[in-house]
Amino acid sequence: MQRIENIVFGLRAVILAILAVVTVVMLFFAVQLRMDAGFLKMLPVGNSFIQTYFQYADGFGGGNRVIVVLENKKGDIFTPEFLKTLKDATDDVFYIPGVARHRVTSLWTPNTRYIAVTEEGLEAGDVIPANFQPTPEGIKTVMQNVLRANLVGRLVSTDFRSAMIATELLEYDPETREKLDYFKVANLLEQKIRDKYVSNDTDVKIVGFAKLVGDIAAGAQSVVIFFAVAFVLTCLMLWLYCRSWILTIVTVSCSLCSLIWQFGTLHLMGYGLDPLAVLVPFLVFAIGVSHGVQQINMVGAEIAAGLDKNAAARATFTFLLRPGSVALATCLAGFATLYIIPIGMIRELAVTASIGVMFKIISNLVMLPLIVSYVAPGAEYGDKVRRAMEARAKFWPFLASIAKPTQAFVFIGFCVVLGAVALYESRDRQIGDVHAGAGELWPNARYNLDSEYIADHFKLGLNVMNVIVESKDVACVDYDKLHFVDTFAWDMRNVPGVQTVVSLPAAAKIINSMWQEGNPKWAALPRDPTALAQATSSIASSTLLVDQRCMTLGVQIYVADTKAETVKTVTHAVEAWINDPKHQRDDLKLRIGTGNVTITSATNTVVEHAELPMLLYVYAVVMTLVIFVYREWRGALCCVIPLILSTIIGNWFLTAASIGLKISTLPVLAIAVGIGVDYGIYEYNRIQRYMRMGVSPYNAYLQALNDVGSATMFTGGTLAIGVSTWTFSALKFQADMGLLLTFMFIVNMIGAVTLLPALVAALEYIWPLKRKPLTEEEARAIRHAH
């Protein structure tokens, strides 16, 4: 360490000059970083549902749907004015970039047809004929055709006051061949649809992934404001702690420099910033502040001990490089483990955060002490720090008493009970959305109100799970196969949370009755292959119920919402039916395939299965690094057990606050663990050194509190205050994360200053460690640091 110190500080001017040039260059690239959203990167690659999705999305519809609903606020939809508005809106949706035009469906599109029984036989045609005239007779014809086509609850609301335009988006714009700009699509939906057609007579509802990310991006403006508020609060709290504007500015500036390097690197790597990952930059900044506080805390202590600014900076660099590197390496490992989750957005977030933490090693452990060696205050500041330390020292004996054996065992017992209660109370934690609509937005957000309206007035909305039925030969003329599919559809229709089920057999029953003069008694599947062919031949592949060869069928299960419990119930019902031995067949295979509910189910499953391995990897890294650096397995336990307890309590908090564990909250738990490691490592670094001098755990912890106790508690409190302002955000997921992080910062800080020393004392009492005597050089270094 002494050699490293001599090299670094011998070249400090050169190193700072290089870092300044790098910062300027990276700033040029950082300002070019843009938000980037993509539907495909939200899919959990490798999941069996998603494999089926990619195989059948083209033929049976994907999950990237957009639904536009026009509501007549002064009557029903069967008026000339409303039908003209619906036609114009359909045309505008048709020409929005990225729209799969063959999938645009409304009353005006040619793929919306009816079949009716008349005196002359069967009659078929477009619901709104090509020669439509807005006369009373023409309007009456449209009304009849809507009823004939059974569109009520599908393209027409159950109260006849609204009509739907449904389509899908392609990941790449077929005209430009470039990746679809979802923010542009969201803006066009607002400008060309909502703003254009909302009036005193008409209202517009729009839902879909593109609209959701657009609303999140719009809400990101408030994210910037709250980041600014948190930044200002952090600066003020930092100044109140160190009472030096110079050290405050240096600490904050070093953390900001690493953000500039991070953003510039991301742009050079071709990454953007996902709307759901906008919280990561501030959290990485918070990690930098956490380490920066430890640095300026020791600098102040060294100046108070009589050292000049250069010597104080050198001592700080040498003493904190090892614990700081261990803590940041653990944070880095925590973020890196997110990469095991096979979701593109999570993996981008893992890369983004890992890069930021990696740069913190340079900015906060090297750059900061080098700058401090030039600009740190002098002896007067040392007197101010000494008085503050003496004032705080009156509180430390009381807190340090937790490192006495009796108090330690009592407190550990309390923590065991607390962990057991938290584990029990978190048993009902939800994996996925807890509330209906988009969990990223508040319930009263326009998007969620639109979703609620569509769910209440239509049976066929945005939320659909398509089950793919694979047949070894033609299924349309095989009664046994269609009856099997019809039985499945009927059973699924009776599952709680399912609004309706659409299938080929159901449509074939209706057509068969039409061939029998519309007699409802004939609304059944005919057993004769010829009659079945007659009943199914008019059902086109554009209905997404059957492919052109009639060897693959689609069963569309429309679900009321995408709440975790609803999705889990429906998915388990489908899987249980498919896996039931009495439903096993050699000639038919059912697979959960396309639709946004399928994607939600797959995502929730991946998150649930990835949570425990991810946390175990983080804990394993913490233990490995602590054992490697400090050569004590007991120290590894002392650092990890508080993290495990805080994670369990965090899950309890998620349950109590009705926050689901999903792709936007899982990374936050990893981040909270990473920051919790910082607290523990710095505490244990001091305790271990003083215990090597032969003092008791109580005295070692008392001296550690004098050194870093105030810095640890200040960091936890400051970060908690900063993120607590997020609870007022226009984005619900940011408000939820503000609550979660505020709670986790405080819990981790309390764990570091209470449970960690209690564990050290308990282990020392049970199993006293025979320590190798210090060398004279080590003892002198420790005495100097103290």
Side-chain angles (χ1 to χ4, degrees):
M1 286 304 305
Q2 190 64 51
R3 287 195 296 269
I4 295 174
E5 175 191 321
N6 292 334
I7 293 172
V8 170
F9 278 82
L11 299 172
R12 56 177 180 166
V14 176
I15 293 174
L16 289 176
I18 293 173
L19 292 177
V21 173
V22 170
T23 302
V24 172
V25 173
M26 284 299 182
L27 180 63
F28 172 77
F29 294 109
V31 296
Q32 302 179 50
L33 186 70
R34 296 291 181 266
M35 278 196 176
D36 175 57
F39 181 75
L40 292 182
K41 71 179 183 179
M42 304 296 290
L43 306 184
V45 180
N47 182 274
S48 59
F49 295 175
I50 303 305
Q51 292 174 351
T52 307
Y53 174 93
F54 284 122
Q55 184 177 350
Y56 290 104
D58 291 338
F60 290 89
N64 195 4
R65 304 180 71 207
V66 172
I67 290 180
V68 177
V69 170
L70 272 64
E71 176 193 10
N72 188 352
K73 296 189 288 187
K74 296 186 177 180
D76 59 40
I77 66 171
F78 302 109
T79 65
E81 296 79 14
F82 183 86
L83 289 178
K84 181 180 184 305
T85 301
L86 181 63
K87 182 180 186 304
D88 294 341
T90 302
D91 292 340
D92 288 338
V93 169
F94 187 84
Y95 287 106
I96 287 179
V99 164
R101 294 175 180 173
H102 64 291
R103 292 281 168 79
V104 177
T105 304
S106 82
L107 295 180
W108 282 97
T109 55
N111 56 3
T112 306
R113 296 177 62 80
Y114 73 93
I115 301 177
V117 179
T118 67
E119 294 83 352
E120 299 178 358
L122 289 183
E123 177 185 319
D126 294 343
V127 170
I128 299 182
N131 60 353
F132 169 75
Q133 295 295 325
T135 61
E137 293 77 14
I139 297 292
K140 183 178 179 181
T141 299
V142 172
M143 185 185 303
Q144 289 177 340
N145 293 345
V146 166
L147 297 175
R148 290 170 169 178
N150 192 27
L151 297 179
V152 178
R154 301 173 67 181
L155 292 179
V156 176
S157 64
T158 52
D159 60 1
F160 295 97
R161 296 173 64 92
S162 305
M164 178 186 293
I165 306 168
T167 187
E168 286 191 23
L169 294 178
L170 305 172
E171 190 67 12
Y172 289 87
D173 190 333
E175 294 183 357
T176 63
R177 307 287 179 141
E178 295 180 355
K179 186 178 178 181
L180 186 62
D181 186 343
Y182 282 93
F183 305 115
K184 179 181 178 181
V185 171
N187 289 333
L188 290 175
L189 287 171
E190 284 292 324
Q191 297 170 7
K192 290 193 173 183
I193 307 297
R194 198 191 301 273
D195 294 346
K196 183 176 180 179
Y197 295 107
V198 168
S199 65
N200 293 330
D201 299 328
T202 307
D203 195 14
V204 177
K205 329 285 184 182
I206 308 174
V207 295
F209 174 76
K211 189 68 188 71
L212 175 60
V213 297
D215 287 357
I216 293 175
Q221 297 176 1
S222 68
V223 172
V224 174
I225 295 174
F226 284 104
F227 281 0
V229 172
F231 175 80
V232 171
L233 285 176
T234 301
C235 292
L236 289 176
M237 294 293 292
L238 191 57
W239 177 81
L240 287 174
Y241 176 76
C242 69
R243 296 305 178 95
S244 169
W245 281 115
I246 294 178
L247 293 180
T248 299
I249 293 172
V250 169
T251 303
V252 172
S253 298
C254 288
S255 293
L256 289 178
C257 282
S258 64
L259 278 186
I260 293 173
W261 305 342
Q262 177 187 9
F263 287 164
T265 303
L266 289 176
H267 177 73
L268 291 174
M269 294 174 64
Y271 284 99
L273 192 60
D274 192 276
L276 293 177
V278 293
L279 305 181
V280 173
F282 179 81
L283 295 175
V284 174
F285 170 77
I287 292 173
V289 171
S290 174
H291 288 271
V293 169
Q294 297 288 347
Q295 296 276 335
I296 63 172
N297 176 71
M298 185 167 176
V299 166
E302 295 296 335
I303 294 176
L307 299 183
D308 60 31
K309 56 187 177 182
N310 184 53
R314 280 176 169 266
T316 300
F317 170 82
T318 302
F319 193 74
L320 296 185
L321 181 61
R322 185 170 64 167
S325 298
V326 172
L328 286 173
T330 305
C331 287
L332 179 62
F335 289 125
T337 54
L338 290 172
Y339 204 83
I340 69 174
I341 303 176
I343 299 175
M345 191 278 285
I346 296 290
R347 288 182 167 176
E348 281 190 15
L349 186 149
V351 172
T352 300
S354 297
I355 291 173
V357 172
M358 182 175 60
F359 284 140
K360 291 298 176 189
I361 297 175
I362 300 174
S363 64
N364 290 86
L365 302 185
V366 178
M367 183 179 180
L368 193 154
L370 290 181
I371 296 177
V372 166
S373 68
Y374 285 107
V375 302
E380 293 183 1
Y381 176 71
D383 295 336
K384 188 188 303 183
V385 171
R386 190 181 305 107
R387 289 193 296 270
M389 293 176 65
E390 291 171 354
R392 291 192 291 260
K394 299 175 183 179
F395 173 70
W396 300 143
F398 171 76
L399 182 57
S401 63
I402 204 167
K404 295 179 179 179
T406 303
Q407 290 90 324
F409 283 111
V410 171
F411 186 74
I412 291 172
F414 168 76
C415 289
V416 170
V417 174
L418 178 63
V421 172
L423 197 61
Y424 177 79
E425 292 294 337
S426 61
R427 68 193 185 281
D428 295 327
R429 186 193 57 177
Q430 299 291 315
I431 308 295
D433 286 319
V434 178
H435 306 287
E440 292 76 15
L441 305 174
W442 290 104
N444 61 351
R446 180 62 187 264
Y447 183 94
N448 283 334
L449 294 177
D450 289 353
S451 298
E452 182 180 3
Y453 179 91
I454 293 172
D456 290 343
H457 293 79
F458 292 85
K459 295 181 180 178
L460 278 64
L462 181 71
N463 303 319
V464 59
M465 172 184 285
N466 288 341
V467 177
I468 305 300
V469 183
E470 299 172 334
S471 174
K472 291 185 177 180
D473 49 24
V474 176
C476 294
V477 294
D478 190 323
Y479 169 81
D480 185 49
K481 292 179 179 179
L482 291 184
H483 177 70
F484 180 82
V485 175
D486 190 44
T487 302
F488 168 72
W490 171 258
D491 289 344
M492 293 304 104
R493 190 176 288 112
N494 291 282
V495 173
V498 173
Q499 290 181 303
T500 190
V501 179
V502 180
S503 65
L504 178 67
K509 289 179 183 180
I510 297 173
I511 295 174
N512 186 59
S513 70
M514 291 180 178
W515 283 105
Q516 313 303 327
E517 300 180 350
N519 191 330
K521 292 183 178 181
W522 288 91
L525 290 172
R527 295 177 181 270
D528 182 69
T530 305
L532 267 180
Q534 180 179 259
T536 58
S537 59
S538 59
I539 302 175
S541 59
S542 60
T543 61
L544 309 182
L545 298 177
V546 61
D547 66 352
Q548 293 180 348
R549 299 185 303 162
C550 207
M551 292 178 62
T552 307
L553 312 181
V555 180
Q556 302 170 1
I557 303 173
Y558 286 88
V559 181
D561 53 60
T562 54
K563 290 194 295 185
E565 193 60 34
T566 305
V567 173
K568 186 177 182 179
T569 299
V570 174
T571 303
H572 284 183
V574 174
E575 290 185 316
W577 201 97
I578 294 174
N579 296 325
D580 192 327
K582 66 181 181 181
H583 297 145
Q584 301 302 308
R585 298 176 57 128
D586 294 332
D587 56 346
L588 284 179
K589 183 179 181 182
L590 275 64
R591 299 166 61 186
I592 298 177
T594 62
N596 69 306
V597 176
T598 300
I599 296 170
T600 302
S601 177
T603 302
N604 292 348
T605 300
V606 167
V607 169
E608 182 177 13
H609 291 166
E611 179 197 11
L612 183 58
M614 182 195 74
L615 292 175
L616 290 178
Y617 289 151
V618 174
Y619 300 148
V621 169
V622 174
M623 296 186 70
T624 302
L625 287 175
V626 172
I627 292 173
F628 176 76
V629 174
Y630 296 107
R631 303 295 195 272
E632 287 191 17
W633 61 267
R634 306 190 314 169
L637 288 178
C638 294
C639 290
V640 165
I641 290 176
L643 297 179
I644 296 175
L645 179 62
S646 67
T647 303
I648 295 173
I649 296 175
N651 285 329
W652 181 13
F653 180 82
L654 286 175
T655 305
S658 296
I659 302 174
L661 185 68
K662 48 192 295 189
I663 59 176
S664 59
T665 55
L666 181 62
V668 175
L669 289 179
I671 292 168
V673 170
I675 294 180
V677 169
D678 295 349
Y679 303 145
I681 293 293
Y682 281 112
E683 290 281 346
Y684 183 75
N685 181 63
R686 297 296 179 125
I687 294 174
Q688 190 250 14
R689 286 213 170 196
Y690 291 134
M691 288 182 66
R692 287 190 67 193
M693 297 175 67
V695 301
S696 67
Y698 167 77
N699 288 318
Y701 185 44
L702 179 61
Q703 295 180 55
L705 286 173
N706 280 307
D707 293 345
V708 298
S710 59
T712 299
M713 287 187 277
F714 166 79
T715 301
T718 298
L719 296 182
I721 292 173
V723 298
S724 66
T725 61
W726 297 0
T727 55
F728 302 100
S729 172
L731 295 177
K732 186 177 183 299
F733 88 97
Q734 187 192 10
D736 289 344
M737 293 310 95
L739 280 174
L740 178 60
L741 284 170
T742 299
F743 182 79
M744 293 301 291
F745 285 157
I746 293 176
V747 168
N748 278 316
M749 181 267 291
I750 293 175
V753 299
T754 57
L755 183 55
L756 187 150
L759 289 168
V760 171
L763 286 173
E764 181 68 17
Y765 181 82
I766 296 171
W767 191 352
L769 184 64
K770 295 180 180 179
R771 293 177 173 83
K772 181 181 177 181
L774 294 176
T775 65
E776 181 59 32
E777 182 180 356
E778 289 174 326
R780 185 169 56 253
I782 292 175
R783 285 195 299 271
H784 166 73
H786 178 55

